[in-house]
Amino acid sequence: MTLPFSSKNHLCSSMSKLLSPRCFCRAALVVLFSVTFASVGLWLHFKTPIDMLHGMPQEDSNEELALRYETEFEEEEEGLTQDDQLGPNSLSVAPSFADEVRALAKALPKRKIVLTTANTGFLDFTQNMLLSIQRVGIHPEVVVICEDEATYKFLLKHRYGLHVLKPPNAIPEAAGVLNYGVPDYVTLVNNRPKYTYEFIKQGFEVFFVDSDTFWFRDPFPYFKGDQYDVAFMRDYRKVFNAGVGFYRPTNRTEYFLRLWSWVLETQPKIRHDQHVMNYILSSKISPDIKIRSLSFQVFPTCKILYDWDHEVCRNVTKKTALFHAAFVPDHDNKRKVFDICKIWLLN
């Protein structure tokens, strides 16, 4: 087919314009900006805030990373002797604590517990939380892991009827108040995933709560169903709070807790357990984990329940089940919030 002469002229004119220096420069700029934006997008997608790719080839995909983590877990467990397992950087807790958990599992017919940790600095909050549970009128099996010797001896005599455990690295003397963010505080809270993992291995459903919580109603109806692995309180819409979480004994939960513990133990810098947890849950490293988000109204933090500007407590609704004093950095200010909200029961 032969083009008319006018069409040929139009085509030649169009080609001349496209090949002109001005058009060529515009095209080059478009390509340059496209490549730049694509590169930035890929960098933001794969950049990790906790340096999880340290020592690993950058071209590995997230699926390959997950497989590698799982393989390294297995290799470490197979290659460690008992002495190695007792070291500070081991993945699992020491055998003596694992034995305590197994012994307790044999004594508990129901595979559902409330798990918390306690130390002398926040022992009064632990007691206040137990009083709030009693006031609700329920009596779940409560397991308290004591981080120091004095707390252990005190809670053994508590009238609630607790199951009190002491990890091998418990502090011999009474620990003072450890406020949020200080290194000793971070060290203590970073043990929480390992403790939870030991009970998940024994087939328990674990409701982990920090001691600075208050129970208004029975929270367990909100954990019914089997369409999830973990359920967490939230600080923000997509930011979970590690201080209140319900864990179901599934393979996905077990893998998630192992990965969480492994990252906390192997990273060169001290990392807060909650930051690592949120990174894992928001990434594709543990892609199959099924998460249930707990309602802000049913499981509020100080951000929801307390008005900082006017120092007043907002009304508790009929739906409010459990309050957590998150966003309050130290013991004295937490106690102030509890006093103002009239939820301090301990004399």
Side-chain angles (χ1 to χ4, degrees):
M1 181 178 179
T2 304
L3 292 174
F5 181 75
S6 60
S7 298
K8 289 182 180 180
N9 284 343
H10 180 72
L11 179 61
C12 291
S13 176
S14 299
M15 290 297 295
S16 299
K17 289 180 180 180
L18 286 174
L19 294 176
S20 66
R22 179 178 295 179
C23 288
F24 184 79
C25 289
R26 287 176 179 174
L29 286 173
V30 169
V31 172
L32 179 61
F33 280 120
S34 299
V35 171
T36 302
F37 283 127
S39 300
V40 171
L42 288 172
W43 182 83
L44 289 173
H45 180 71
F46 289 107
K47 183 68 175 177
T48 63
I50 57 174
D51 194 24
M52 294 211 35
L53 303 181
H54 178 69
M56 297 184 180
Q58 294 295 316
E59 65 269 19
D60 287 353
S61 66
N62 287 326
E63 290 77 9
E64 290 170 333
L65 285 176
L67 179 61
R68 180 168 299 187
Y69 291 143
E70 188 170 15
T71 303
E72 289 183 5
F73 277 136
E74 295 170 353
E75 289 176 351
E76 287 177 5
E77 287 181 343
E78 291 174 359
L80 291 177
T81 64
Q82 186 174 10
D83 292 337
D84 290 328
Q85 291 173 352
L86 292 171
N89 293 323
S90 60
L91 174 64
S92 60
V93 293
S96 59
F97 181 78
D99 291 340
E100 285 189 72
V101 173
R102 283 192 289 268
L104 180 58
K106 293 178 181 179
L108 294 177
K110 294 183 179 179
R111 286 293 189 262
K112 181 184 290 185
I113 63 168
V114 175
L115 180 63
T116 190
T117 58
N119 59 71
T120 300
F122 275 84
L123 182 57
D124 54 346
F125 273 94
T126 301
Q127 295 179 79
N128 194 72
M129 181 193 70
L130 293 172
L131 288 172
S132 74
I133 296 175
Q134 289 177 304
R135 197 179 73 160
V136 170
I138 60 176
H139 198 288
E141 300 288 355
V142 177
V143 179
V144 182
I145 299 174
C146 300
E147 302 285 5
D148 59 67
E149 187 71 29
T151 302
Y152 176 73
K153 291 179 179 178
F154 179 87
L155 290 179
L156 279 175
K157 303 173 184 179
H158 198 279
R159 63 182 181 179
Y160 183 92
L162 304 169
H163 305 284
V164 184
L165 300 180
K166 182 178 64 173
N169 59 349
I171 303 170
E173 68 278 359
V177 175
L178 299 177
N179 291 322
Y180 179 89
V182 301
D184 287 342
Y185 169 87
V186 173
T187 300
L188 287 180
V189 300
N190 282 0
N191 288 323
R192 298 185 297 191
K194 293 188 293 184
Y195 298 149
T196 306
Y197 170 69
E198 288 300 318
F199 285 96
I200 290 295
K201 282 203 305 182
Q202 299 302 319
F204 282 94
E205 291 183 336
V206 178
F207 183 32
F208 182 90
V209 290
D210 277 347
S211 61
D212 59 336
T213 55
F214 188 90
W215 297 43
F216 291 97
R217 290 173 181 80
D218 183 359
F220 289 102
Y222 296 96
F223 306 133
K224 290 182 178 179
D226 58 358
Q227 302 303 310
Y228 69 98
D229 301 303
V230 294
F232 288 112
M233 172 183 274
R234 291 176 293 166
D235 285 345
Y236 302 99
R237 191 169 66 90
K238 293 185 178 181
V239 178
F240 297 106
N241 189 300
V244 176
F246 190 86
Y247 302 80
R248 295 184 60 251
T250 67
N251 291 334
R252 290 182 294 268
T253 301
E254 187 173 326
Y255 176 75
F256 162 67
L257 287 167
R258 293 173 68 196
L259 177 60
W260 187 5
S261 302
W262 181 79
V263 172
L264 288 170
E265 291 180 355
T266 57
Q267 290 305 301
K269 298 179 181 179
I270 295 178
R271 300 282 182 177
H272 193 289
D273 67 328
Q274 184 167 299
H275 298 163
V276 175
M277 180 194 78
N278 274 288
Y279 172 74
I280 294 173
L281 292 176
S282 64
S283 70
K284 294 182 180 180
I285 297 173
S286 187
D288 298 327
I289 191 80
K290 298 178 181 178
I291 311 165
R292 174 178 289 182
S293 298
L294 299 177
S295 165
F296 288 118
Q297 300 304 319
V298 180
F299 296 87
T301 63
C302 275
K303 188 177 178 66
I304 302 295
L305 199 68
Y306 188 73
D307 185 339
W308 288 99
D309 295 331
H310 302 92
E311 293 191 341
V312 295
C313 189
R314 298 188 178 99
N315 291 332
V316 175
T317 69
K318 293 182 178 180
K319 294 183 178 181
T320 307
L322 184 145
F323 162 69
H324 180 208
F327 295 97
V328 186
D330 56 65
H331 177 281
D332 292 342
N333 279 315
K334 288 179 187 289
R335 173 63 190 272
K336 180 180 178 181
V337 169
F338 273 62
D339 285 335
I340 291 174
C341 291
K342 298 180 180 180
I343 54 176
W344 189 258
L345 306 178
L346 185 67
N347 294 326

